[in-house]
């Protein structure tokens, strides 16, 4: 059986469309399936619609959080719900707004079934209607992830099929701050990919603001690499050479009797060093905050209700 995991936050308009579209495609492809909606503490009627759909359609299940815990938590809740079903052999994660073309699910399933791939990724051939700022931000983020952690996320998305053993491996990672897109790549296994073009949303608008995206990107980068901390060491070495050269220059001028008061230079150097130190303390403080969040070992999410 194929489990289709659909995280949902304020997606009341899209629930029935997503369930009917995906269900119809899988039935025509003669694939045994279930659809698991993961309600991320929605403030609209998303959960009521999921419950009503579950009562009408035996293929539909749902879990609902006690509050909003974020998309990452919703994905993992859906994966854990799929693991509770002993008939589940693989799962696909897809967005509720159908910007991920559901037609690819059958192709993913076929690659898993006939060619033995454990992970089938859907990669973005184009990003759809996004602003230049958003596209530049995403490109910069992927480059930083690749250069600092070695994980290539260029064009990657949460839209992918995972074999049951991959789901168990990913779910077995008990870290609090999760990044599904990178974790599913980090675990390895036999992987292939398909390309898709991002489609316009069927209903509603995106729930991601630039502030949320920036916060998520920062958390993801620091969760997979300690490069920002090493960056301070690099700065330290560069400034060591710079100040060594400046020191030699100052001593030579003093010996030759050309030494100047240099008050402005001293102030400028103090400002540079002070800013660098504060920047370094900020990076260290951020990592300490993440450690603090991890060692409290609070659950990733709290399930309030299931159907």
């Amino acid at each position: 059986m194929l489990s289709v995991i659909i995280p949902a936050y304020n997606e009341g308009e899209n629930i029935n469309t997503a369930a009917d579209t995906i269900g119809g495609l899988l039935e025509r492809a003669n694939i045994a399936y279930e659809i698991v909606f993961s309600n991320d503490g929605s403030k609209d009627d998303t959960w009521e619609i999921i419950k009503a759909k579950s009562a009408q359609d035996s293929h539909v299940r749902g879990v609902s959080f006690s509050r909003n815990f974020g998309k990452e938590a919703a994905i993992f809740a859906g994966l854990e719900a799929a693991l509770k079903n002993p008939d589940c052999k693989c799962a696909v994660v897809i967005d509720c707004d159908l910007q991920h073309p559901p037609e690819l699910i059958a192709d993913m399933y076929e690659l898993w079934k006939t060619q033995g791939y454990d992970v089938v990724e859907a990669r973005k051939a184009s990003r759809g209607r996004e602003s230049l700022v958003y596209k530049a931000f995403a490109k910069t983020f992927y480059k930083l992830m690749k250069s600092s952690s070695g994980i290539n996320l260029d064009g990657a998305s949460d839209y992918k099929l995972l074999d049951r053993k991959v789901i168990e491996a990913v779910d077995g990672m008990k870290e609090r701050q999760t990044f599904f897109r990178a974790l599913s790549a980090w675990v390895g296994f036999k992987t292939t990919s398909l390309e898709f073009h991002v489609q316009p949303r069927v209903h509603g608008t995106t729930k991601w603001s630039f502030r949320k995206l920036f916060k998520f990107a920062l958390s993801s980068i620091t969760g997979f690499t300690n490069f920002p901390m090493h960056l301070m060491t690099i700065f330290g070495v560069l400034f060591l050479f710079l100040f060594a050269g400046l020191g030699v220059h100052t001593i030579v001028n003093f010996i030759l009797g050309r030494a100047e008061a240099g008050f402005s230079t001293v102030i400028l150097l103090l400002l540079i060093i002070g800013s660098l130190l504060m920047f370094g303390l900020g990076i260290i403080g951020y990592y300490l905050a993440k450690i603090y969040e991890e060692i409290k070992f609070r659950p990733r999410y709290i399930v309030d209700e299931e159907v």
Side-chain angles (χ1 to χ4, degrees):
M1 175 181 284
L2 168 67
S3 295
V4 181
I5 312 302
I6 308 180
Y9 176 66
N10 292 346
E11 296 285 2
E13 295 176 303
N14 291 316
I15 298 299
N16 287 320
T17 303
D20 293 340
T21 302
I22 294 171
L25 287 168
L26 294 178
E27 285 179 4
R28 286 193 294 274
N30 198 28
I31 298 174
Y33 73 96
E34 66 172 356
I35 297 175
V36 182
F37 285 102
S38 187
N39 176 42
D40 185 21
S42 299
K43 301 187 184 304
D44 64 357
D45 57 353
T46 295
W47 181 237
E48 285 69 28
I49 295 175
I50 292 173
K51 289 194 292 184
K53 190 63 179 175
S54 179
Q56 297 171 3
D57 188 343
S58 60
H59 292 95
V60 176
R61 298 168 56 198
V63 294
S64 182
F65 292 168
S66 60
R67 65 170 178 83
N68 177 247
F69 283 92
K71 183 182 180 181
E72 291 294 308
I75 290 175
F76 276 86
L79 292 174
E80 289 184 10
L83 287 176
K84 292 178 182 178
N85 184 350
D87 294 327
C88 172
K89 303 303 180 184
C90 61
V92 167
V93 176
I94 185 172
D95 284 354
C96 192
D97 54 22
L98 298 185
Q99 287 191 287
H100 296 158
E103 296 81 9
L104 277 184
I105 296 178
D107 297 331
M108 292 177 168
Y109 184 84
E110 191 64 22
L111 286 170
W112 167 80
K113 184 178 180 180
T114 61
Q115 299 188 32
Y117 286 105
D118 300 312
V119 180
V120 183
E121 299 180 332
R123 290 185 170 268
K124 299 174 183 176
S126 66
R127 301 190 61 88
R129 297 177 181 176
E130 292 179 349
S131 67
L132 292 176
V133 174
Y134 189 98
K135 290 181 179 179
F137 178 80
K139 190 173 182 180
T140 302
F141 168 68
Y142 290 140
K143 282 187 176 181
L144 285 173
M145 281 294 296
K146 185 177 181 180
S147 61
S148 60
S149 67
I151 299 175
N152 183 13
L153 295 179
D154 188 28
S157 69
D158 293 327
Y159 189 18
K160 57 187 66 183
L161 179 147
L162 306 178
D163 184 85
R164 187 180 182 94
K165 65 182 178 183
V166 182
I167 300 172
E168 291 173 345
V170 172
D171 186 57
M173 300 177 187
K174 297 305 179 184
E175 54 203 76
R176 306 298 95 194
Q177 306 294 321
T178 56
F179 184 22
F180 171 72
R181 196 173 303 182
L183 282 174
S184 56
W186 183 88
V187 295
F189 295 100
K190 187 178 180 182
T191 303
T192 189
S193 62
L194 298 171
E195 287 192 340
F196 73 96
H197 296 277
V198 177
Q199 305 298 313
R201 287 179 63 95
V202 177
H203 300 290
T205 57
T206 180
K207 309 305 183 297
W208 287 94
S209 64
F210 186 80
R211 176 178 172 275
K212 287 183 178 179
L213 284 171
F214 181 80
K215 186 177 179 181
F216 178 68
L218 186 61
S219 176
S220 300
I221 290 173
T222 54
F224 271 84
T225 176
N226 56 9
F227 176 75
M229 298 188 78
H230 291 306
L231 191 64
M232 299 314 301
T233 304
I234 296 172
F235 280 147
V237 173
L238 291 176
F239 274 85
L240 175 64
F241 285 110
L242 174 64
F243 293 148
L246 185 60
V248 171
H249 179 265
T250 302
I251 292 173
V252 170
N253 281 342
F254 178 77
I255 294 174
L256 297 178
R258 297 201 300 259
E260 299 178 359
F263 181 77
S264 299
T265 303
V266 172
I267 294 298
L268 182 61
L269 290 176
L270 286 174
L271 288 173
I272 293 173
I273 295 171
S275 298
L276 185 63
L277 288 174
M278 294 302 293
F279 180 63
L281 287 173
I283 292 177
I284 295 171
Y286 188 81
Y287 273 93
L288 285 174
K290 289 182 70 66
I291 293 171
Y292 174 66
E293 291 295 326
E294 290 289 337
I295 62 175
K296 287 189 292 187
F297 212 69
R298 290 176 180 171
R300 292 171 181 163
Y301 56 84
I302 298 172
V303 174
D304 177 46
E305 191 176 353
E306 294 186 46
V307 294

